[in-house]
Amino acid sequence: KMELRMKRNILIIIFFLINAGIILPQIDPQIQKYRNEPYGDKTYRKKGIMDGNLIRTIFRNDGQVGTWPDRPSGEWPKGTGHNYIDGVTPLISSAVIAPGNGQLIHPCQTSYREEVDFDPVTNELWVMEPVPGYAAPGSEEPAISTKPKTWPDKWPRALPNIDANWDGYWYGYFGRGVQNADFETFYVMDDSKDKEFTRLPYNYFPIAADRNRGGLGLRVEVRGFQWSHVLAEDIIFWHFDIVNLSDFDYDTTYFGFYCDTGVGGVDDNGDDCASYDTKLDITNDIKKS
């Protein structure tokens, strides 16, 4: 009898573990670290000025580059007062079936100074917001490679392979303390504040166990680079590392930019004519005659 009882207990334990594996799938440890970070929040918005080569412009840690009517905004060459943009911002969208009503929806994640969705009750903006911890709390600017006072005292441990050895050094794309570019900035943002499709009738939550996270469940690490070398002195390079934190795989996803051109600056941009040349594969912005 004792032997039979022991076997029955073993069988019950094995059955429980199998079912637990089905009900609670393993989450990648790195993804879980990201999920455990604070949500993006407008409280942590910061702006700086990129001026590492012949281009000078305002940039913000919610994805925006340039802004109207503030200057400099895509100024080139630097110091001339010739501004070319009123704002640029990334767009990320995916196709999702809303569980609440079975409708195909396309949440689009971005942040901009105007014409963005917001909560009709609380007026909270449904936009990408900066994740705290990636700049010095007292800094008005995002973390910039050439300005150690903008760096956090400790780089967030959610970053892969980061430990105390990185603290006090630039978190560089090319390595610890490596400042390859003349100007490099780094920040993180997410789409947790976009609650548009969490409401009825859609009821879409990217992480089922987290009712405070909206959007698509995206975390974006952003880097901007400028080199003063003659081959790159007229270019800003932006690097977006987009991580899907959600419970779902998105098989249809789009990434692009909204470009609000402003050739001529605040007082002389009403006669611009933007177009796209499909043969040259280039965007044009010219003055109307």
Side-chain angles (χ1 to χ4, degrees):
K1 290 182 179 178
M2 178 67 71
E3 183 178 356
L4 289 174
R5 192 177 300 117
M6 290 176 64
K7 288 182 178 179
R8 188 179 301 114
N9 289 342
I10 291 172
L11 288 174
I12 291 173
I13 292 172
I14 292 174
F15 181 77
F16 173 78
L17 290 175
I18 292 173
N19 277 276
I22 295 173
I23 298 172
L24 300 172
Q26 292 294 316
I27 300 297
D28 181 275
Q30 183 58 55
I31 295 298
Q32 190 60 54
K33 285 184 178 180
Y34 291 149
R35 287 185 176 187
N36 292 341
E37 284 193 298
Y39 303 113
D41 192 283
K42 67 178 182 180
T43 304
Y44 304 98
R45 290 182 183 179
K46 300 176 185 292
K47 70 176 181 179
I49 294 181
M50 308 187 78
D51 59 354
N53 56 17
L54 292 184
I55 303 174
R56 184 169 65 170
T57 190
I58 292 171
F59 73 98
R60 301 174 186 272
N61 63 348
D62 61 355
Q64 296 187 67
V65 182
T67 187
W68 182 93
D70 300 337
R71 306 286 95 166
S73 190
E75 181 191 45
W76 179 87
K78 179 173 60 179
T80 62
H82 298 162
N83 294 274
Y84 291 88
I85 60 174
D86 287 342
V88 177
T89 195
L91 302 165
I92 310 168
S93 183
S94 289
V96 176
I97 300 296
N101 59 1
Q103 179 181 338
L104 178 65
I105 58 176
H106 298 86
C108 185
Q109 308 309 319
T110 190
S111 184
Y112 201 56
R113 59 181 170 80
E114 62 180 359
E115 298 181 5
V116 292
D117 291 336
F118 59 91
D119 190 309
V121 177
T122 66
N123 289 323
E124 182 177 65
L125 296 175
W126 287 331
V127 297
M128 302 285 283
E129 297 287 11
V131 174
Y134 292 90
S139 173
E140 295 182 355
E141 300 175 285
I144 296 172
S145 59
T146 56
K147 298 182 177 181
K149 290 185 178 180
T150 66
W151 311 347
D153 292 334
K154 294 183 178 180
W155 293 103
R157 300 306 190 243
L159 294 170
N161 303 315
I162 294 298
D163 56 27
N165 292 321
W166 284 77
D167 297 337
Y169 291 87
W170 173 241
Y171 180 65
Y173 181 80
F174 299 96
R176 182 180 70 120
V178 177
Q179 299 190 23
N180 179 284
D182 293 278
F183 183 103
E184 181 181 357
T185 186
F186 175 75
Y187 62 87
V188 177
M189 59 185 184
D190 72 19
D191 63 350
S192 59
K193 294 300 182 184
D194 182 8
K195 305 296 179 59
E196 179 175 4
F197 292 105
T198 64
R199 305 171 303 158
L200 294 175
Y202 310 105
N203 201 36
Y204 180 74
F205 291 87
I207 301 175
D210 186 354
R211 295 293 176 172
N212 292 315
R213 186 181 293 274
L216 290 165
L218 303 182
R219 177 187 187 275
V220 186
E221 292 186 5
V222 186
R223 290 186 187 270
F225 303 93
Q226 287 181 299
W227 280 271
S228 59
H229 188 282
V230 65
L231 296 179
E233 64 184 2
D234 303 315
I235 306 170
I236 297 176
F237 296 88
W238 287 101
H239 181 280
F240 296 84
D241 189 350
I242 305 170
V243 180
N244 177 11
L245 305 182
S246 79
D247 296 332
F248 308 98
D249 293 329
Y250 299 128
D251 59 6
T252 304
T253 302
Y254 300 91
F255 176 85
F257 279 91
Y258 173 76
C259 298
D260 187 354
T261 57
V263 178
V266 177
D267 299 322
D268 185 28
N269 61 8
D271 56 353
D272 299 342
C273 183
S275 62
Y276 188 79
D277 191 315
T278 56
K279 292 183 179 180
L280 296 177
D281 195 27
I282 192 172
T283 298
N284 300 309
D285 195 334
I286 61 176
K287 295 287 186 181
K288 295 179 182 178
S289 58

